[in-house]
Amino acid sequence: MGLADPVFLVNYKTYAGTTGDDALAFAETIERVRDETGSRFAVAPQLPDLRRIAERTDLPIVAQTAVPRAESGIGDVTLEAVADAGADAVFVSHPENEAAFTAVARAVDRCGDLGLESIVAVEGLTTARMALAADPDWLLFERPADIATDEGMVRTHPERIETFVETVADEAAETRTFVGGGIRTAEDVARAFDCGVDATGAASAAIEADDREAWLRSIATAVPTADASR
Amino acid sequence: MGLADPVFLVNYKTYAGTTGDDALAFAETIERVRDETGSRFAVAPQLPDLRRIAERTDLPIVAQTAVPRAESGIGDVTLEAVADAGADAVFVSHPENEAAFTAVARAVDRCGDLGLESIVAVEGLTTARMALAADPDWLLFERPADIATDEGMVRTHPERIETFVETVADEAAETRTFVGGGIRTAEDVARAFDCGVDATGAASAAIEADDREAWLRSIATAVPTADASR
Amino acid sequence: MGLADPVFLVNYKTYAGTTGDDALAFAETIERVRDETGSRFAVAPQLPDLRRIAERTDLPIVAQTAVPRAESGIGDVTLEAVADAGADAVFVSHPENEAAFTAVARAVDRCGDLGLESIVAVEGLTTARMALAADPDWLLFERPADIATDEGMVRTHPERIETFVETVADEAAETRTFVGGGIRTAEDVARAFDCGVDATGAASAAIEADDREAWLRSIATAVPTADASR
Amino acid sequence: MGLADPVFLVNYKTYAGTTGDDALAFAETIERVRDETGSRFAVAPQLPDLRRIAERTDLPIVAQTAVPRAESGIGDVTLEAVADAGADAVFVSHPENEAAFTAVARAVDRCGDLGLESIVAVEGLTTARMALAADPDWLLFERPADIATDEGMVRTHPERIETFVETVADEAAETRTFVGGGIRTAEDVARAFDCGVDATGAASAAIEADDREAWLRSIATAVPTADASR
């Protein structure tokens, strides 16, 4: 299905209260808000919850991690496994779970074979250019220091995001851009899309909201709808 | 449900052809052989396949990995998530995916809260005694060097397994014992149970068998049935 | 030479201004304070500075890390290498750099062969008992959350340290005890030794002191001298 | 001093018999062969032996690993520490010890500040282009599967090395090239330099040679001398 943009990703990470039936219930809430508002949302549950959410909702699904198949490892989850379970995209490398340098290229390549969109996190223009040499579908611009704070780059350094978006547009027009880290409010989301990105998202702000549905409805007001976006 | 013994574990690890529909089909084959032979089997699929196999079969399920919940990690799968998805047990530490030293204690403790049986891999009597101080449900005795070979300890050093079983029986009678590494044939399985272990299993031999069902039926002849075992 | 107790360890970790000539100069300051006060100090420099400090001072030296020799790894530093360079002890596992579960046993064992004292970090009584099964020379009781704070256990939970010391004394009288994490002042050091430990130490407080020598002299007042200690 | 080319690197990795006095003695042998033959050699000892070899020989020295300084880590060795100890270059990422994706950029950048030459290992043209975006001094082309075998690319796929050298020459003329993996004989070394690389090297073949000095003299015949090389 792919990850149509503009889109807002709700990432469950490993927060309490986001597994099993809670995982599905929250996804159904996200889907309902999407359907009622027309704003696109996607979800990144833990891996054991991925298939059920793929079957019970039609939200695009991002695997939090997955790796190219090794000969006989244990514990790792393969790109094949998450593709088979219904994932649309995968974090090949994320600020909180970075891939090894050469693994990025192998994973992006294998995602292409499997129809998974690849997302590679970068922390500036140099790492963006490095990642572009592997030709991923998405670049995520996110600084570890911003995670779970309210001091994201959209507030503190929006000009960096604009430069990032322009650089990617110049060098790899097909590659889409995602900014994360410290996104907490509709205003943050609006700022992100104003900088030109194709996606943004949140984890802690979504999970910790007193009323998650109300929070999602607020966020939805700032996600460009498909018709308006281009 | 727990992991009743004696039992033979089929571990899919990350082998090709063991994900998605293949994962379920193989589990259904295992279940059929179990039902027809009366020998107990369990299965360790990749995490995205865990819930569906738990729903569609009544095989005991071992999670290949899972960790105590961190504040906001990504990529890791939590013990809560695998418990919610229907796992009965989890490899807290495995020779191919070792936990950090203090993480073993935290994971075993959390498994107890969640009703998951904890399996900790050790490589000798010293590490067995270390692990017993954390009071896991199972000790897995397996040497990395034996994995995917036909030179497992059941062939080369059965006396070490007997000493291991006796040591565990003396020091922690409630803890059950599992031997792995290089198990390929019914004869290997018979040797393992002759050494007194409560469980054994295989990965490569099961996955690579030309006829997996025939291989399973052969193995079943060497797994003591519940009535005979005690 | 070994790590005679009671002793206070200054750990350089990877702080700026603690490498090369700075590493040696700080060690010479520590040695001078030791000589003038009679209080025992030890030092844990980065690995490239270990040999020179061992040659130019007679402070006991703790290697921040080292591992049993693998067949052909790269980057790792072996226990043989740090022993040859003059280390007296090594952190087999540290809260900020934990060893894998079974690696602890292999490393402690190899330290014994090489005449290195082994230090294994634990975070409570369960992990202390696990570690004792490997029979290390030292147990370090330190919680990651306390590191680089002024909220160490000596202030917040001295009774836990006392229980730890008593447990180790009961179960392994030869094993010595070390408490770390959040040690910043002479008062903290006095509290630590009052709890019965054989060693304590600091990193950030030592490195960040405006006047390192004055800080060391203050600390020295709280380290029992050899004659008084037993 | 830097790593003048053409050059042959002897990497001690973590082999037995290459630490302490053995490390120095072997380096002195390498230096003697260099002096007598005019062929350039460099050495990569373990980190505790780095400074002494830098002081006692004038061989260029490559640190097997080092990382940009973190706030208060332990165990890691910083780029500052290896620079202060006399290293000329460092493996920022090596097939047996890969850096995380974004860490490569930070390390290459910091090497530039410190006057260390940065070496980044790649496994093909895609990873070569990724690495070039970080502008390292050296690219090492080496496949993990070749290490410690006698089936290196110089024997099995020299055309891949030629393509690699040409690609780097086209895209980043200043970046020098190094091929490793499975280099065992003078003939292998000659093949490597015939492919156009600026450096090659060995670990297992050097360490395991019955007569290391004779082996080095043989290798020296295949290392272009400075005058002949350009």
Side-chain angles (χ1 to χ4, degrees):
Chain A
M1 171 167 60
L3 202 56
D5 63 85
V7 64
F8 185 91
L9 176 69
V10 178
N11 191 337
Y12 294 180
K13 294 189 175 178
T14 54
Y15 282 97
T18 67
T19 61
D21 294 342
D22 293 333
L24 180 60
F26 191 16
E28 289 171 339
T29 301
I30 296 168
E31 187 179 41
R32 186 165 60 245
V33 171
R34 180 200 64 177
D35 290 345
E36 292 176 15
T37 63
S39 292
R40 288 199 183 96
F41 285 86
V43 64
Q46 283 196 44
L47 296 169
D49 295 311
L50 198 156
R51 180 190 303 274
R52 188 161 65 156
I53 295 174
E55 288 173 353
R56 302 277 194 93
T57 77
D58 64 356
L59 292 172
I61 300 197
V62 179
Q64 292 186 21
T65 191
V67 297
R69 187 175 68 78
E71 289 317 285
S72 67
I74 187 170
D76 284 333
V77 170
T78 60
L79 291 164
E80 288 80 356
V82 299
D84 285 348
D88 299 288
V90 61
F91 284 113
V92 162
S93 192
H94 184 279
E96 296 176 89
N97 185 32
E98 277 211 81
F101 168 60
T102 63
V104 168
R106 289 192 300 269
V108 167
D109 192 53
R110 186 69 182 135
C111 282
D113 297 340
L114 294 168
L116 285 169
E117 295 188 4
S118 51
I119 309 171
V120 177
V122 300
E123 57 180 32
L125 296 185
T126 299
T127 47
R129 290 193 176 99
M130 289 174 69
L132 288 176
D135 198 20
D137 297 294
W138 290 86
L139 288 190
L140 166 63
F141 187 26
E142 183 165 339
R143 300 180 307 182
D146 293 341
I147 293 172
T149 70
D150 54 5
E151 294 294 325
M153 270 188 297
V154 291
R155 297 186 185 204
T156 61
H157 297 94
E159 75 286 357
R160 291 187 189 168
I161 303 172
E162 291 171 6
T163 302
F164 166 75
V165 169
E166 288 163 14
T167 301
V168 176
D170 284 350
E171 303 195 6
E174 297 300 303
T175 303
R176 287 175 290 166
T177 55
F178 187 142
V179 69
I183 304 286
R184 306 199 73 82
T185 67
E187 191 180 354
D188 293 337
V189 175
R191 284 178 178 141
F193 286 111
D194 285 348
C195 291
V197 298
D198 302 297
T200 189
S204 60
I207 307 307
E208 295 165 357
D210 289 334
D211 179 338
R212 289 179 184 171
E213 180 160 348
W215 184 86
L216 289 164
R217 288 184 187 281
S218 169
I219 292 298
T221 63
V223 180
T225 52
D227 291 344
S229 71
R230 290 296 163 91
Chain B
M1 170 167 62
L3 202 56
D5 63 86
V7 64
F8 185 90
L9 175 69
V10 178
N11 192 336
Y12 294 180
K13 295 190 174 176
T14 55
Y15 282 97
T18 67
T19 60
D21 293 342
D22 292 333
L24 180 59
F26 191 16
E28 290 171 338
T29 301
I30 296 168
E31 188 178 39
R32 186 166 60 246
V33 171
R34 180 201 63 177
D35 291 345
E36 293 175 14
T37 63
S39 292
R40 287 198 183 97
F41 285 87
V43 64
Q46 284 196 44
L47 296 169
D49 296 311
L50 198 157
R51 179 191 304 276
R52 187 162 65 157
I53 295 175
E55 288 173 353
R56 302 278 194 89
T57 77
D58 63 357
L59 291 172
I61 300 196
V62 179
Q64 291 186 22
T65 191
V67 297
R69 187 175 69 78
E71 288 318 284
S72 68
I74 187 170
D76 283 334
V77 170
T78 60
L79 291 164
E80 288 81 356
V82 299
D84 286 349
D88 299 287
V90 61
F91 285 112
V92 162
S93 192
H94 184 279
E96 294 177 89
N97 185 31
E98 277 211 81
F101 168 60
T102 63
V104 167
R106 290 193 299 271
V108 167
D109 192 52
R110 186 68 182 134
C111 282
D113 297 340
L114 293 167
L116 286 168
E117 295 187 5
S118 51
I119 308 171
V120 176
V122 299
E123 57 181 33
L125 296 185
T126 300
T127 47
R129 291 194 175 97
M130 289 174 69
L132 288 176
D135 198 21
D137 297 295
W138 289 86
L139 288 190
L140 166 63
F141 186 26
E142 182 166 341
R143 300 179 307 182
D146 293 341
I147 293 173
T149 70
D150 54 6
E151 295 293 324
M153 269 188 297
V154 291
R155 296 186 186 204
T156 60
H157 297 93
E159 75 286 358
R160 291 187 190 168
I161 304 173
E162 290 171 7
T163 303
F164 166 75
V165 169
E166 287 162 16
T167 302
V168 176
D170 284 351
E171 302 195 6
E174 297 300 303
T175 303
R176 286 176 290 166
T177 55
F178 187 143
V179 68
I183 303 287
R184 305 198 75 80
T185 67
E187 190 180 354
D188 294 336
V189 175
R191 284 178 180 140
F193 286 113
D194 284 348
C195 292
V197 299
D198 301 297
T200 188
S204 60
I207 307 307
E208 294 165 357
D210 290 332
D211 179 338
R212 289 179 184 171
E213 180 159 348
W215 184 86
L216 289 164
R217 288 184 187 281
S218 168
I219 293 298
T221 63
V223 180
T225 52
D227 291 344
S229 71
R230 292 295 161 91
Chain C
M1 169 168 61
L3 203 54
D5 62 87
V7 64
F8 185 91
L9 176 68
V10 178
N11 191 337
Y12 293 179
K13 294 189 175 178
T14 54
Y15 283 97
T18 67
T19 60
D21 292 343
D22 293 333
L24 179 60
F26 192 15
E28 290 171 339
T29 301
I30 296 168
E31 187 178 40
R32 186 167 60 247
V33 172
R34 181 201 62 177
D35 290 345
E36 293 176 13
T37 63
S39 294
R40 288 199 183 94
F41 285 86
V43 64
Q46 286 197 42
L47 296 169
D49 296 312
L50 199 156
R51 179 190 305 272
R52 189 163 62 158
I53 295 175
E55 288 173 352
R56 301 278 196 91
T57 76
D58 64 356
L59 292 172
I61 300 197
V62 179
Q64 292 187 22
T65 191
V67 298
R69 188 175 67 80
E71 288 315 285
S72 69
I74 187 170
D76 284 332
V77 170
T78 60
L79 292 164
E80 286 82 356
V82 300
D84 285 348
D88 300 287
V90 59
F91 284 114
V92 162
S93 192
H94 184 279
E96 296 176 88
N97 185 31
E98 276 211 82
F101 168 60
T102 63
V104 168
R106 289 192 299 269
V108 168
D109 192 52
R110 186 69 182 133
C111 282
D113 296 341
L114 294 166
L116 286 168
E117 295 188 5
S118 52
I119 308 171
V120 176
V122 300
E123 57 180 33
L125 296 185
T126 299
T127 46
R129 290 193 176 99
M130 289 174 69
L132 287 176
D135 198 21
D137 297 294
W138 290 85
L139 289 189
L140 166 63
F141 187 25
E142 182 164 341
R143 300 180 308 182
D146 294 340
I147 293 172
T149 70
D150 54 4
E151 294 293 325
M153 271 188 297
V154 290
R155 297 186 186 204
T156 62
H157 297 94
E159 75 286 358
R160 291 187 190 168
I161 304 172
E162 291 170 5
T163 302
F164 167 75
V165 169
E166 288 163 14
T167 301
V168 176
D170 284 351
E171 303 196 5
E174 296 300 303
T175 303
R176 287 175 290 166
T177 57
F178 186 143
V179 68
I183 303 288
R184 305 199 74 81
T185 66
E187 190 180 354
D188 294 337
V189 175
R191 283 177 179 142
F193 285 112
D194 284 349
C195 291
V197 299
D198 301 298
T200 187
S204 60
I207 307 306
E208 296 165 357
D210 290 333
D211 179 338
R212 290 179 183 170
E213 181 160 346
W215 184 87
L216 289 164
R217 289 184 186 282
S218 168
I219 292 297
T221 64
V223 180
T225 51
D227 291 342
S229 70
R230 291 296 164 86
Chain D
M1 171 166 60
L3 202 56
D5 62 87
V7 64
F8 185 91
L9 175 69
V10 178
N11 192 336
Y12 294 179
K13 295 191 176 177
T14 54
Y15 283 97
T18 67
T19 61
D21 293 341
D22 293 332
L24 180 60
F26 191 16
E28 289 171 339
T29 301
I30 297 168
E31 188 179 39
R32 185 168 58 246
V33 172
R34 181 200 64 176
D35 290 345
E36 293 176 13
T37 64
S39 293
R40 288 198 183 96
F41 285 86
V43 64
Q46 285 197 44
L47 296 169
D49 295 312
L50 199 156
R51 179 190 304 273
R52 188 163 62 157
I53 295 174
E55 288 173 353
R56 302 276 195 92
T57 76
D58 64 356
L59 292 172
I61 300 198
V62 179
Q64 293 187 20
T65 190
V67 298
R69 190 175 67 79
E71 287 317 283
S72 68
I74 186 170
D76 284 332
V77 170
T78 61
L79 291 164
E80 287 82 356
V82 299
D84 286 349
D88 299 287
V90 61
F91 285 112
V92 162
S93 192
H94 184 279
E96 295 176 87
N97 186 30
E98 276 211 80
F101 169 60
T102 63
V104 168
R106 289 192 300 271
V108 168
D109 192 53
R110 187 69 182 134
C111 282
D113 297 342
L114 293 168
L116 285 168
E117 296 189 3
S118 51
I119 308 171
V120 176
V122 300
E123 57 181 33
L125 297 185
T126 299
T127 47
R129 291 194 175 97
M130 290 175 68
L132 288 176
D135 198 21
D137 297 294
W138 289 86
L139 289 189
L140 166 63
F141 187 26
E142 182 165 341
R143 301 179 307 182
D146 294 340
I147 293 172
T149 70
D150 53 5
E151 294 293 324
M153 271 188 296
V154 290
R155 297 186 185 203
T156 61
H157 298 93
E159 74 286 358
R160 291 187 190 167
I161 303 172
E162 291 171 6
T163 303
F164 166 75
V165 169
E166 288 163 14
T167 301
V168 176
D170 284 352
E171 303 195 7
E174 297 301 303
T175 303
R176 286 175 289 166
T177 55
F178 187 143
V179 67
I183 304 287
R184 306 198 74 81
T185 66
E187 191 180 354
D188 293 337
V189 175
R191 284 177 180 140
F193 286 111
D194 284 348
C195 290
V197 299
D198 302 298
T200 188
S204 60
I207 307 307
E208 295 165 357
D210 289 332
D211 179 339
R212 289 180 183 170
E213 181 159 347
W215 183 88
L216 289 164
R217 288 183 188 280
S218 168
I219 292 298
T221 64
V223 180
T225 52
D227 291 344
S229 71
R230 290 295 161 88

